Amino acid sequence: SSYLEYDKQARIFGSFQVAPIGVIFSNFKESMITKQPVPKHAEYKFCIGIDHGSTINSQVVTLACVATFEGDKANPRVYMLDEYVSGQAPPETHVIAILDMLKRNGVRPSECKWTGDGVHHARRSRDGFRMSNILLMRAFEHQLNYGHRQLPFTIRTPLKRRHSVYYSTSLIHSLMSRQHFFISPRCKKLIESIKYWTLKTGSAKSTDPYGHAIDSMRYCICGTIDSRFDRPS
């Protein structure tokens, strides 16, 4: 059950017909949606994932806590705590909303590992609206009253190796299979996306209404639960 649905035919029967069909996170259960707080007596790592966009609901930021327990360090538990969803807006608008999200969860920005997507342009010609990790960092400096390049955290761009979407998706699916994945009802867009996301390629990927939240979640947690995901070559 820890294998993705479109993996099973290849791994069990040796099939070459392994095109992704249907919902990817088939092991997600309603019981994983919970208001229960993260358990005590664990080692906590907070992380934030950012997927940039300019259309409605395409700028998505997710906050997670990765908890490891004594005696079971190899099997972390992931708690998706909150989300921020928006569209085209100035970086200051996004930053204020992200800081509000952190404040209501009692998490300081400097406690988090920040991972954001590459530079996004609203048009293929690359003119007009643009959003990037650097623009957000400059806005954070302004809002938090830090000098230029004095911010105590860095929004890093993930390493997108070949098959990185497949690999990171498999990691999250495996968490769900072990019942080690939990999500707050605050994460409405992410819950909807987990329930209905199907892996798309090419031009279909850019118009996928669920892909932005999934990408944000992948950036958020995968580098924390498995260092191979973002280890530099």
Side-chain angles (χ1 to χ4, degrees):
S1 67
S2 64
Y3 292 134
L4 293 167
E5 288 299 321
Y6 67 90
D7 255 353
K8 291 177 182 177
Q9 291 298 317
R11 293 179 178 270
I12 298 172
F13 302 109
S15 172
F16 288 98
Q17 305 301 318
V18 291
I21 299 173
V23 173
I24 298 299
F25 295 116
S26 57
N27 284 356
F28 181 74
K29 296 179 173 58
E30 291 290 332
S31 59
M32 296 175 184
I33 305 172
T34 175
K35 293 182 179 180
Q36 294 296 318
V38 179
K40 297 180 180 179
H41 311 300
E43 179 183 336
Y44 308 116
K45 294 180 181 178
F46 295 98
C47 41
I48 284 182
I50 305 171
D51 190 55
H52 302 306
S54 52
T55 56
I56 297 173
N57 296 335
S58 64
Q59 179 80 18
V60 183
V61 183
T62 49
L63 169 66
C65 175
V66 177
T68 53
F69 295 85
E70 193 66 36
D72 195 18
K73 296 286 188 180
N75 293 301
R77 274 71 164 172
V78 169
Y79 299 82
M80 302 305 302
L81 302 177
D82 214 334
E83 69 178 12
Y84 161 65
V85 181
S86 182
Q88 181 172 316
E92 289 77 13
T93 300
H94 297 319
V95 163
I96 291 171
I98 294 169
L99 291 173
D100 286 343
M101 177 181 70
L102 288 169
K103 185 176 181 180
R104 66 176 172 259
N105 287 279
V107 180
R108 294 190 296 271
S110 57
E111 292 180 296
C112 299
K113 176 180 180 178
W114 296 72
T115 308
D117 196 10
V119 179
H120 169 79
H121 296 270
R123 298 177 182 175
R124 291 187 177 183
S125 60
R126 299 201 170 192
D127 58 358
F129 178 79
R130 178 170 67 98
M131 185 53 59
S132 70
N133 299 334
I134 294 296
L135 288 173
L136 288 180
M137 289 175 65
R138 299 291 85 85
F140 272 114
E141 290 171 351
H142 177 73
Q143 290 296 325
L144 298 174
N145 296 315
Y146 282 100
H148 183 61
R149 295 191 175 183
Q150 299 300 309
L151 208 61
F153 59 88
T154 301
I155 306 176
R156 302 192 180 278
T157 304
L159 297 176
K160 296 184 179 181
R161 296 188 177 94
R162 188 182 182 191
H163 305 309
S164 61
V165 174
Y166 162 79
Y167 179 66
S168 56
T169 301
S170 298
L171 288 176
I172 298 170
H173 181 77
S174 182
L175 284 169
M176 295 177 181
S177 302
R178 298 195 301 269
Q179 304 287 311
H180 288 175
F181 181 90
F182 307 93
I183 186 168
S184 167
R186 284 176 174 170
C187 304
K188 294 180 181 179
K189 182 63 179 179
L190 183 55
I191 291 171
E192 178 188 30
S193 299
I194 289 171
K195 288 181 177 179
Y196 300 112
W197 182 62
T198 57
L199 193 58
K200 292 180 173 62
T201 57
S203 60
K205 184 178 179 181
S206 62
T207 58
D208 182 4
Y210 309 118
H212 299 288
I214 298 299
D215 285 346
S216 175
M217 176 175 64
R218 292 192 305 107
Y219 302 151
C220 179
I221 64 176
C222 287
T224 301
I225 63 176
D226 192 324
S227 60
R228 290 175 295 179
F229 180 72
D230 64 355
R231 183 183 299 156
S233 59

